[in-house]
Amino acid sequence: MVGTRELRRPVVVALQTLAVAACYFGAGRLGLLRRLTVDGAVFTPIWPPTGVAVASLLIFGIRCWLGIAIGALLVVVSLASLQLPAIGIIAGNTAAPVCAYLMLRRLGFRTDLSRLRDGLALVFLGALGSMLISATVDVGVLVLTDKLAAHSFWPVWLAWWVGDAMGVLIVTPVLLMLYGIRLPLHPTRWKEAALLALVACVLVPTAAYSPISLLFLVYPLLVWASLRFPQGGSVLCALFASVLATVAATDRVGPFERLSDTALMIKLQAFNGSMALTALLLSAVITEQRNTRRSVELACQDLVEVLEHLTAGNASPLPAPVDDEGKGWRNEAP
């Protein structure tokens, strides 16, 4: 039995590594389908592999870092030959998610995102903080190897950083939510869920492709999803809306028509960022409040049971008093 377990563990680790590498590569190819240009440099508004990498580390642990590195290598090789800049980019794309995982684990991060502190930690440490590493290393390598002009460092760095951060804010919560699902499902509000999905399929494309700026209409939808389906509805709506907004922006249609490259990037990333923060933090707040109320209700139920038990004990017949000789008193008629 011990020998079987020792043989099984390396096989499981190898399969997890290959799965993470495949998912990272697939997410990278999807992200490269939509690109924008800033100062002549091409970047992706949302880089899904960072979200895949952070979620994989939170689910499987630090041992899957090799799968992230292999996935980054495959993405880079699919675009260009393996040279010194490519090696630096692979290192930066691997180090940033690992740093995010280490900081989140130190803070006691919960993958169910059931507390506000978990949502804030994912935003400020997992996304905004850790992705500074990948943006700085990747763009710095391009400048040092003369692949990018020095005066373009900060605009490209900002676009790179925001794209990596958006991948964590939008993709990681969805993957953690899917990992936490337990079968069989017992939907209690499936009619409302179907109505929410129908409204999203009509409202989000209208807001993303309308020549009038109607992107603000997405926020009431996120509030509805967060209030009624905080465990997954809001993040799924945010993912759907961000994908359609990115497609509209890269096609330069709807509210993104006739915008300059810089203005288009600012408008798109401001929308994606504010929407992701609204969905993630509002869902975390509502989930935490519901869990707190449930804990209070359970404590009240326990208290009621204890009081009922004590009351029942006091209502039991009292034993007859005894005299000094241990004989019971008798109430005799005079």
Side-chain angles (χ1 to χ4, degrees):
M1 181 65 69
V2 176
T4 303
R5 291 181 179 177
E6 291 178 353
L7 291 175
R8 186 181 302 173
R9 181 178 178 83
V11 174
V12 171
V13 173
L15 291 177
Q16 289 178 351
T17 300
L18 293 177
V20 171
C23 292
Y24 190 102
F25 176 72
R29 298 306 300 174
L30 287 176
L32 292 171
L33 294 177
R34 295 292 171 174
R35 312 181 193 182
L36 292 176
T37 303
V38 174
D39 281 5
V42 178
F43 77 100
T44 57
I46 301 174
W47 186 236
T50 57
V52 173
V54 174
S56 300
L57 288 165
L58 292 173
I59 294 172
F60 300 119
I62 193 65
R63 62 178 180 271
C64 71
W65 73 268
L66 182 58
I68 298 172
I70 294 174
L73 172 63
L74 294 176
V75 173
V76 170
V77 171
S78 66
L79 296 175
S81 59
L82 187 60
Q83 298 178 356
L84 182 61
I87 297 175
I89 291 175
I90 294 170
N93 289 348
T94 304
V98 170
C99 180
Y101 164 73
L102 294 176
M103 289 192 295
L104 292 175
R105 188 185 66 171
R106 186 170 182 82
L107 289 179
F109 180 82
R110 295 180 183 176
T111 56
D112 58 0
L113 295 172
S114 60
R115 302 175 301 177
L116 178 60
R117 59 177 293 185
D118 298 326
L120 293 174
L122 185 63
V123 170
F124 291 102
L125 296 181
L128 301 180
S130 299
M131 295 307 118
L132 293 171
I133 298 174
S134 58
T136 303
V137 172
D138 297 351
V139 180
V141 167
L142 294 177
V143 172
L144 291 177
T145 56
D146 295 329
K147 301 292 184 181
L148 182 69
H151 63 84
S152 299
F153 175 84
W154 288 112
V156 176
W157 178 90
L158 180 61
W160 204 299
W161 172 58
V162 174
D164 287 354
M166 288 300 104
V168 177
L169 290 178
I170 295 174
V171 177
T172 299
V174 175
L175 295 179
L176 294 178
M177 182 268 297
L178 294 176
Y179 174 74
I181 291 178
R182 295 295 179 265
L183 298 176
L185 297 176
H186 299 286
T188 57
R189 295 189 299 270
W190 64 270
K191 292 183 179 180
E192 185 179 0
L195 178 61
L196 176 62
L198 179 61
V199 173
C201 291
V202 174
L203 181 62
V204 175
T206 301
Y209 285 90
S210 174
I212 306 174
S213 184
L214 298 176
L215 293 176
F216 63 90
L217 293 178
V218 177
Y219 293 98
L221 183 68
L222 292 178
V223 174
W224 177 16
S226 299
L227 290 174
R228 303 298 292 170
F229 307 96
Q231 293 294 342
S234 58
V235 295
L236 288 176
C237 287
L239 175 64
F240 180 54
S242 64
V243 169
L244 287 188
T246 301
V247 172
T250 52
D251 291 339
R252 294 182 179 274
V253 297
F256 304 98
E257 189 177 4
R258 294 188 299 272
L259 292 178
S260 64
D261 293 339
T262 303
L264 188 149
M265 182 196 71
I266 294 174
K267 186 171 185 177
L268 174 63
Q269 301 297 47
F271 171 72
N272 285 339
S274 59
M275 182 182 54
L277 289 175
T278 300
L280 181 60
L281 298 183
L282 184 58
S283 177
V285 169
I286 294 174
T287 302
E288 185 176 31
Q289 289 181 348
R290 288 186 177 182
N291 291 338
T292 302
R293 184 180 62 184
R294 190 178 298 113
S295 299
V296 172
E297 290 175 352
L298 292 175
C300 291
Q301 291 177 3
D302 293 340
L303 180 59
V304 169
E305 292 178 358
V306 171
L307 292 176
E308 290 178 350
H309 179 72
L310 293 176
T311 303
N314 291 332
S316 60
L318 295 175
V322 296
D323 57 9
D324 295 337
E325 298 179 357
K327 300 179 181 181
W329 294 100
R330 291 181 298 174
N331 294 325
E332 299 177 351

